[in-house]
């Protein structure tokens, strides 16, 4: 019984892992059939339930993603068949889908724009939705994030985000939004939201808000791929290239961000030889085509880090200046916190501490673990070990990522020993 139970547990874990990776593609593929992202998500969940029922007995298929896609599409076709109003669509679409094998998904970032994932993100970013709803819905559908994770990404209350997602699905269905990549003025109008969503998806992958892993590479890969596709689709849009450059630079560091056991490695301690040189070159190429918008400025900041052979060689003064320009263009307490870090490195912790203290009452940073974490770092560098320990311990209670919590508690303990 113990062996059977162990096999069942392993199958369940495999199912959850595969679904986390493949859910966006499954939802996108099904949306092309049913033309309703809410229904598509439900059908994708149905496929997950079917896998949970069958795989522990039959074993995990050789191509689990294709199995989930086929199951979801067959259920979608059955649903279409049951609706008389979809008879013509069934004749045109359903027959072809039932007679062909599930598509194999290319990992080529230069894939043609006729891409279900890209259609899905533009559909979810339709102007009928608010900016917040567009981003939350796309993170849910393409990123596979839970409502709690999206709330953490937005620094917003979880019930608020849950309502945004529910209302967004209803609004898209009511407006009968077409499942397509828009053109002309409509595409330009939705671009800002699309860029924001891609950026948030990447950030969740780069520094997971919850769970046992610091990095979720699949999310980073999806975001990076979408950014590259957009850059090819809109070559004359500087901010598209700015975002692509930023993500290339950030993704280049992923191999050095964690140690052998998955523990976080701070930027100062990273082995820069592990940084991906191909991604760095791609970042530089994209930055040459970027402009002066928020993503382009962040890419320029990332470039400053990559140009330093050693951490000690980092041009923190330039980084602080760039954060100042970014703050003037797109004010945010998170940006100001990052500017304070750069100032602490260029002018010393005493110059930055008042800037961090001024953010203590910011509503958007309530419960944001990086605020006490940064303050703890500044206090530690100022020799105020007891106060630093308290800040690190407070930050550890606010993070939902197990790896980050361990690191913060380790830093708190180090303050005790010092």
């Amino acid at each position: 019984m113990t062996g059977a139970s162990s096999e069942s547990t392993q199958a369940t874990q495999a199912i959850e892992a595969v679904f986390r990776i493949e859910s966006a593609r499954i939802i996108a593929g099904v949306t092309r059939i049913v033309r309703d992202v809410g229904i598509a998500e439900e059908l994708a969940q149905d496929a997950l339930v079917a896998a949970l029922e069958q795989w522990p007995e039959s074993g995990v298929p050789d191509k689990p993603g294709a199995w989930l896609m086929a199951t979801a599409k067959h259920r979608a076709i059955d649903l279409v068949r049951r609706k008389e109003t979809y008879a013509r669509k069934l004749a045109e679409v359903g027959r072809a889908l039932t007679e062909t094998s599930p598509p194999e998904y290319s990992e080529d970032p230069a894939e043609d724009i006729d891409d279900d994932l890209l259609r899905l993100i533009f559909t979810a970013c339709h102007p009928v939705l608010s900016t917040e709803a567009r981003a939350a819905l796309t993170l849910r559908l393409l990123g596979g994030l839970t409502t709690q994770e999206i709330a953490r990404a937005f620094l917003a209350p979880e019930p608020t985000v849950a309502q945004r997602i529910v209302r967004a699905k209803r609004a898209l269905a009511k407006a009968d939004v077409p499942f397509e990549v828009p053109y002309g003025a409509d595409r330009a109008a939705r671009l800002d939201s699309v860029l924001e969503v891609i950026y948030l998806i990447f950030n969740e992958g780069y520094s997971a808000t919850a769970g046992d892993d610091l990095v979720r590479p699949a999310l980073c890969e999806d975001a990076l791929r979408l950014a590259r596709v957009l850059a090819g689709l809109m070559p004359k849009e500087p901010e598209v290239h700015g975002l692509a450059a930023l993500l290339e630079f950030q993704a280049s560091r992923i191999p050095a961000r964690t140690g052998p056991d998955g523990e976080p490695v701070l930027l100062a301690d990273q082995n820069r030889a592990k940084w991906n040189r191909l991604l760095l070159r791609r970042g530089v190429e994209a930055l040459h085509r970027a402009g002066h918008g928020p993503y382009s400025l962040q890419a320029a900041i990332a470039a400053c880090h990559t140009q330093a052979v050693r951490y000690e060689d980092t041009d923190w003064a330039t980084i602080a200046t760039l954060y100042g320009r970014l703050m003037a263009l797109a004010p945010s307490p998170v940006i100001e916190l990052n500017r304070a870090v750069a100032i602490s490195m260029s002018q010393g912790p005493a110059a930055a501490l008042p800037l961090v203290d001024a953010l203590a009452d910011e509503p958007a940073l309530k419960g944001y673990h990086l605020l006490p974490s940064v303050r703890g770092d500044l206090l530690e560098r100022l020799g105020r070990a007891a106060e630093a320990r308290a800040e690190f311990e407070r930050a550890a209670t606010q993070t939902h990522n197990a790896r980050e919590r361990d690191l913060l508690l380790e830093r708190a303990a180090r303050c005790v020993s010092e």
Side-chain angles (χ1 to χ4, degrees):
M1 291 294 291
T2 303
S5 176
S6 176
E7 291 178 2
S8 177
T9 300
Q10 290 176 359
T12 299
Q13 291 174 343
I15 294 165
E16 292 173 350
V18 170
F19 188 78
R20 186 80 171 194
I21 295 170
E22 298 291 342
S23 61
R25 294 180 176 87
I26 296 169
I27 293 169
V30 174
T31 301
R32 196 198 313 179
I33 303 172
V34 299
R35 305 288 167 168
D36 185 311
V37 294
I39 294 175
E41 186 181 14
E42 292 175 3
L43 291 170
Q45 291 290 338
D46 287 347
L48 173 63
V49 172
L52 289 169
E53 292 173 347
Q54 298 179 35
W55 290 8
E57 295 293 332
S58 63
V60 178
D62 292 337
K63 296 181 178 180
W67 189 98
L68 288 168
M69 175 67 84
T71 300
K73 282 189 172 183
H74 290 157
R75 289 172 186 254
I77 294 167
D78 288 341
L79 178 64
V80 170
R81 189 175 284 122
R82 289 196 301 268
K83 294 180 179 291
E84 292 182 359
T85 56
Y86 284 92
R88 184 172 61 83
K89 185 183 297 183
L90 176 63
E92 297 174 354
V93 179
R95 188 179 303 109
L97 288 169
T98 56
E99 293 174 354
T100 58
S101 300
E104 295 294 331
Y105 292 99
S106 170
E107 296 181 357
D108 182 1
E111 195 171 285
D112 188 79
I113 66 169
D114 187 17
D115 181 333
D116 284 344
L117 279 174
L118 192 59
R119 288 173 176 171
L120 181 59
I121 196 170
F122 269 101
T123 300
C125 291
H126 194 277
V128 74
L129 306 178
S130 69
T131 300
E132 295 82 3
R134 297 174 208 175
L137 180 61
T138 310
L139 281 170
R140 174 75 171 177
L141 298 179
L142 279 96
L145 307 189
T146 65
T147 303
Q148 182 183 40
E149 289 170 337
I150 298 169
R152 294 285 300 176
F154 277 119
L155 303 178
E158 188 174 340
T160 301
V161 172
Q163 283 298 314
R164 285 177 189 166
I165 294 171
V166 170
R167 290 170 182 166
K169 292 176 186 176
R170 290 174 181 167
L172 289 175
K174 184 177 181 181
D176 195 21
V177 172
F179 184 59
E180 64 182 10
V181 177
Y183 293 88
D186 191 21
R187 180 192 296 172
R190 282 193 249 173
L191 180 59
D192 286 346
S193 289
V194 171
L195 295 178
E196 177 187 16
V197 167
I198 294 174
Y199 180 57
L200 288 173
I201 291 174
F202 183 88
N203 277 351
E204 177 58 33
Y206 190 73
S207 185
T209 56
D212 296 327
D213 299 318
L214 179 70
V215 179
R216 294 165 58 188
L219 285 182
C220 293
E221 291 166 5
D222 274 341
L224 188 54
R225 174 176 169 276
L226 287 169
R228 290 171 179 169
V229 170
L230 272 183
L233 177 64
M234 310 179 78
K236 295 183 179 180
E237 289 289 343
E239 270 300 83
V240 173
H241 294 294
L243 178 64
L246 174 60
L247 301 195
E248 299 282 7
F249 285 136
Q250 296 291 77
S252 72
R253 303 180 199 165
I254 290 177
R257 292 197 70 235
T258 54
D261 297 322
E263 70 277 10
V265 179
L266 298 176
L267 181 61
D269 302 321
Q270 287 179 14
N271 179 358
R272 301 191 173 208
K274 291 184 177 181
W275 289 2
N276 189 308
R277 299 299 161 185
L278 174 60
L279 297 185
L280 290 176
R281 287 196 297 273
R282 295 186 69 136
V284 171
E285 292 170 0
L287 187 58
H288 287 158
R289 296 188 290 273
H292 305 284
Y295 296 112
S296 298
L297 286 172
Q298 290 181 72
I301 291 168
C304 287
H305 287 294
T306 63
Q307 290 167 359
V309 177
R310 302 176 305 161
Y311 182 77
E312 295 78 9
D313 300 328
T314 306
D315 187 354
W316 289 106
T318 296
I319 291 175
T321 299
L322 288 170
Y323 270 123
R325 290 171 57 188
L326 184 58
M327 189 67 185
L329 190 62
S332 159
V334 174
I335 293 173
E336 179 64 7
L337 182 62
N338 286 327
R339 188 175 78 90
V341 172
I343 288 174
S344 78
M345 299 304 297
S346 61
Q347 302 178 29
L353 187 58
L355 301 176
V356 174
D357 288 342
L359 297 172
D361 297 326
E362 281 286 347
L365 296 184
K366 184 178 181 181
Y368 185 53
H369 71 283
L370 292 182
L371 179 60
S373 176
V374 169
R375 192 169 189 274
D377 180 74
L378 298 179
L379 291 169
E380 183 181 27
R381 289 163 58 192
L382 288 169
R384 295 159 61 176
E387 295 171 80
R389 180 181 72 245
E391 292 295 330
F392 287 134
E393 289 174 345
R394 182 158 69 96
T397 65
Q398 293 177 351
T399 183
H400 295 269
N401 185 279
R403 296 293 187 177
E404 285 187 326
R405 186 182 303 113
D406 291 343
L407 176 62
L408 289 164
L409 291 175
E410 180 183 326
R411 296 198 69 182
R414 188 174 68 189
C415 291
V416 173
S417 64
E418 290 176 351

